[in-house]
Amino acid sequence: MKRLITKSMVPVLLCLLVFTGMATAQVDSLANRAIDRLAASVLNDVPEDLPVSRIVVLPMKGDVDDAVRSAVERDLVQRPEFTLLERSDVEYVQSEALNAFVNPATVADIAQALGAQAVLLGDIHTLQSYGWFTGKARVHADLKIVDISTLTILWADNYDISATTWWGRTRWYIISLVLFIIVVAYLLARGGVSDRKKILDKADKERYKAVELMKTAEARSLKDALYGSKKGFSTEMANQIRTLQTEVEQLNIRVKSTGLGDPKTLTMGEVKDILKKAESLGKQAKLINEIASNIQLNAGQDDNFLADPVNRLRTAISKARDAI
């Protein structure tokens, strides 16, 4: 069963590793996709008729501040009605700008110092991590444009932007499919063990019959022919029959000491091969018993007459040995 499950799971695990690698490769670009969507939404939503044209994008609160700030600047600069101030002109007041969220006067001071008419500021937060398993990035943003001359909010909006990889969209389907394959492989393996055990039991019965037949041939027929017959054999023939009797005895010992194996570790092909050999062994054991009985009945015949059954017995023993 373990072998079958292992063979069944190898391609599944390889596919899973490939999927994991592909999903991990997409994670790096996932955050950028979410941020790009956010910037595109801001570009479309900011009104064209704002009473200001020179805007500075201040640093924002949040864990993806710089990336969002760059993306918004990149997209807003495409609007001809706006003039964005250079990032380098803003850097020197960056530390003060971070306080602009709580101090409107500071916003005005910074903007006037930079020659801006309005500022775009906000809070950016990642609501879902960019993990390869989730395959999803979710960014929330609260943005607003403030007129620094009146400190009034000219525009404000909030966004909840998501980006998903193919893994994020399909991971539960893939995981369900993998679990289904594992369950099916397990059930097939468990059912296969039962079938293989039945075949091994049949092979064991065949071997048991073979042992009994060869025991009869060795301990009764050949022994009686050698020691119970009044007519007897020539010295040479007696030695040949005695040698064959010993070979049958050793063959029986070998059959009884050789196991069939564990159905949990054997394949169906191996089990069928064992049964085929057991049936062949049984066939040869039956033949050995018949020939030994024939030798017993013909004890006292001349060597020429006994040569054929002795040779056939020797061949049957050889074939039986190959079937173990």
Side-chain angles (χ1 to χ4, degrees):
M1 180 175 66
K2 291 181 179 178
R3 185 184 299 181
L4 179 59
I5 291 179
T6 300
K7 288 182 177 179
S8 302
M9 290 309 300
V10 165
V12 176
L13 293 175
L14 287 175
C15 290
L16 204 56
L17 287 174
V18 172
F19 288 154
T20 301
M22 293 172 64
T24 304
Q26 287 193 335
V27 168
D28 295 336
S29 63
L30 190 58
N32 291 333
R33 286 165 54 189
I35 291 170
D36 286 345
R37 290 183 183 179
L38 172 60
S41 297
V42 173
L43 177 64
N44 292 329
D45 293 345
V46 173
E48 297 181 0
D49 56 352
L50 288 179
V52 293
S53 60
R54 292 176 60 81
I55 297 177
V56 60
V57 180
L58 293 182
M60 303 176 188
K61 285 185 177 179
D63 48 5
V64 286
D65 157 41
D66 193 62
V68 174
R69 184 181 176 194
S70 298
V72 171
E73 287 178 339
R74 180 199 65 210
D75 284 9
L76 282 181
V77 78
Q78 301 177 34
R79 297 275 294 268
E81 64 270 26
F82 296 128
T83 300
L84 262 67
L85 303 183
E86 288 292 336
R87 175 76 66 91
S88 58
D89 295 334
V90 184
E91 295 299 330
Y92 79 100
V93 290
Q94 187 172 12
S95 60
E96 295 183 58
L98 290 174
N99 296 321
F101 298 101
V102 294
N103 188 350
T106 306
V107 174
D109 292 342
I110 294 172
Q112 288 175 352
L114 295 172
Q117 296 173 311
V119 294
L120 187 151
L121 46 82
D123 294 303
I124 311 293
H125 296 286
T126 304
L127 300 183
Q128 191 164 355
S129 63
Y130 307 133
W132 72 266
F133 180 76
T134 60
K136 184 176 182 179
R138 188 168 165 225
V139 178
H140 181 80
D142 291 302
L143 303 175
K144 57 186 175 181
I145 296 177
V146 178
D147 185 333
I148 58 102
S149 63
T150 61
L151 295 182
T152 57
I153 297 175
L154 302 177
W155 169 85
D157 207 341
N158 60 77
Y159 299 89
D160 200 357
I161 305 294
S162 297
T164 309
T165 64
W166 65 267
W167 170 259
R169 294 189 296 271
T170 62
R171 69 181 187 278
W172 293 118
Y173 297 104
I174 295 174
I175 292 172
S176 299
L177 178 60
V178 171
L179 292 176
F180 174 76
I181 293 173
I182 292 174
V183 170
V184 170
Y186 172 76
L187 293 176
L188 289 176
R190 187 171 65 176
V193 169
S194 177
D195 294 338
R196 294 195 294 275
K197 187 176 185 304
K198 290 179 182 178
I199 295 175
L200 287 180
D201 288 343
K202 185 177 179 180
D204 190 53
K205 291 179 181 179
E206 290 289 335
R207 286 161 64 97
Y208 177 78
K209 293 177 183 178
V211 166
E212 292 300 312
L213 287 170
M214 289 189 293
K215 183 179 180 181
T216 300
E218 174 267 324
R220 185 178 302 174
S221 301
L222 295 178
K223 185 177 182 180
D224 184 71
L226 286 168
Y227 305 108
S229 174
K230 295 180 181 180
K231 298 180 180 180
F233 301 95
S234 68
T235 301
E236 182 181 352
M237 183 58 66
N239 287 336
Q240 290 186 47
I241 293 175
R242 191 175 292 109
T243 298
L244 293 175
Q245 180 195 16
T246 301
E247 289 183 8
V248 173
E249 181 182 11
Q250 292 175 345
L251 188 63
N252 234 0
I253 294 173
R254 183 180 170 189
V255 172
K256 289 187 286 187
S257 63
T258 303
L260 294 178
D262 189 347
K264 293 181 180 179
T265 59
L266 294 171
T267 65
M268 183 59 75
E270 291 171 335
V271 169
K272 288 182 178 179
D273 186 56
I274 290 173
L275 176 59
K276 184 178 179 180
K277 287 186 174 182
E279 291 173 341
S280 176
L281 177 64
K283 180 180 178 181
Q284 298 304 320
K286 183 179 180 181
L287 186 59
I288 288 171
N289 187 50
E290 291 175 353
I291 297 172
S293 297
N294 181 261
I295 292 174
Q296 179 188 13
L297 292 173
N298 291 283
Q301 297 287 342
D302 60 56
D303 289 1
N304 291 331
F305 181 86
L306 292 171
D308 179 63
V310 167
N311 287 332
R312 287 193 295 118
L313 179 59
R314 186 177 292 110
T315 301
I317 292 172
S318 177
K319 289 182 178 179
R321 190 181 294 113
D322 293 337
I324 298 176

